[in-house]
Amino acid sequence: GAVVSQHPSRVICKSGTSVKIECRSLDFQATTMFWYRQFPKQSLMLMATSNEGSKATYEQGVEKDKFLINHASLTLSTLTVTSAHPEDSSFYICSARGGRVGTEAFFGQGTRLTVV
Amino acid sequence: QKEVEQDPGPLSVPEGAIVSLNCTYSNSAFQYFMWYRQYSRKGPELLMYTYSSGNKEDGRFTAQVDKSSKYISLFIRDSQPSDSATYLCAMSIGGGGADGLTFGKGTHLIIQP
């Protein structure tokens, strides 16, 4: 397998502030990274797909100005939740694919975001 | 109608039993089918990956895909307490993982010692 590290694992922030979540591929070069969101008792929902060096492609209904995605290098993508509100509280998970791992996507451990 | 339907459970079975998990889907364009295991507060871990219809076996796990019925299954033989987790089905149109995945809600499985 391959290792995808996501940080932080959990974060609590105040309403109106911004939060940055990092996703790193530790032992392979991730040409593509995916960001998912999972609400309690719901499916993981794809938010956006990012290719290294390109702008992210957002799924319908996901606000690109609110969820800023940067994939500036082959091993790092970041998701910034701007002006967070309580309804943004969720479990955010990244996955990465590319390089030696080919088309299989490996998941990070997830980030539990709580906005108070 | 959701794209992927999966009974969330919980499904509780005694140790050693054969477990059957399944999903139905509506989009006939899905070609790649996956099963993930997710422990609490962790990211999903890929268990099985199949392309199109057919069966695939890996140790105690068998994945079945019936595209004509839009129905996929995961069987776990000789179930162990360590198999207790949430099992997610996932599928994609493009080469598994190349596109973003569409997930079911996950089935919470409990194996009783």
Side-chain angles (χ1 to χ4, degrees):
Chain A
V3 181
V4 176
S5 177
Q6 193 172 336
H7 178 80
S9 59
R10 61 177 63 195
V11 58
I12 300 173
C13 70
K14 291 185 177 180
S15 186
T17 62
S18 295
V19 174
K20 180 183 284 188
I21 302 169
E22 292 187 349
C23 180
R24 295 181 184 273
S25 56
L26 298 186
D27 54 356
F28 68 100
Q29 293 184 325
T31 51
T32 306
M33 287 189 171
F34 305 91
W35 287 95
Y36 294 83
R37 179 169 52 184
Q38 185 178 32
F39 291 108
K41 303 189 184 218
Q42 299 296 317
S43 312
L44 278 86
M45 297 295 295
L46 179 65
M47 298 176 66
T49 302
S50 73
N51 292 295
E52 185 265 339
S54 303
K55 288 185 178 181
T57 302
Y58 290 81
E59 296 299 301
Q60 191 172 10
V62 178
E63 300 174 60
K64 61 182 179 181
D65 294 331
K66 181 169 184 61
F67 299 100
L68 301 179
I69 292 172
N70 184 287
H71 189 171
S73 79
L74 284 170
T75 58
L76 173 65
S77 176
T78 60
L79 168 67
T80 302
V81 183
T82 62
S83 187
H85 291 284
E87 56 265 33
D88 298 323
S89 298
S90 187
F91 192 53
Y92 292 86
I93 308 179
C94 69
S95 72
R97 61 169 287 273
R100 68 173 182 84
V101 303
T103 57
E104 182 177 343
F106 291 86
F107 283 81
Q109 309 96 310
T111 297
R112 175 76 58 190
L113 170 63
T114 303
V115 184
V116 298
Chain B
Q1 181 188 12
K2 294 190 183 297
E3 275 199 294
V4 180
E5 297 278 2
Q6 184 178 9
D7 186 340
L11 174 63
S12 184
V13 301
E15 183 176 356
I18 296 175
V19 175
S20 173
L21 305 167
N22 43 69
C23 291
T24 59
Y25 63 95
S26 58
N27 189 347
S28 57
F30 287 133
Q31 295 279 350
Y32 296 84
F33 304 90
M34 287 136 275
W35 285 94
Y36 286 84
R37 178 173 60 197
Q38 185 178 23
Y39 294 109
S40 181
R41 303 182 188 279
K42 301 290 185 183
E45 170 196 9
L46 180 65
L47 283 177
M48 298 289 283
Y49 166 90
T50 53
Y51 169 69
S52 196
S53 287
N55 294 357
K56 184 174 183 178
E57 187 173 321
D58 184 1
R60 296 186 295 114
F61 298 91
T62 300
Q64 288 185 350
V65 175
D66 182 349
K67 289 191 67 182
S68 63
S69 301
K70 298 190 182 70
Y71 186 89
I72 69 171
S73 301
L74 177 71
F75 298 95
I76 306 174
R77 292 183 298 281
D78 187 24
S79 56
Q80 305 293 314
S82 58
D83 294 328
S84 298
T86 297
Y87 289 79
L88 302 154
C89 63
M91 43 202 79
S92 67
I93 296 171
D99 296 346
L101 301 176
T102 301
F103 281 88
K105 284 188 180 182
T107 298
H108 183 204
L109 174 65
I110 301 168
I111 307 297
Q112 302 163 341

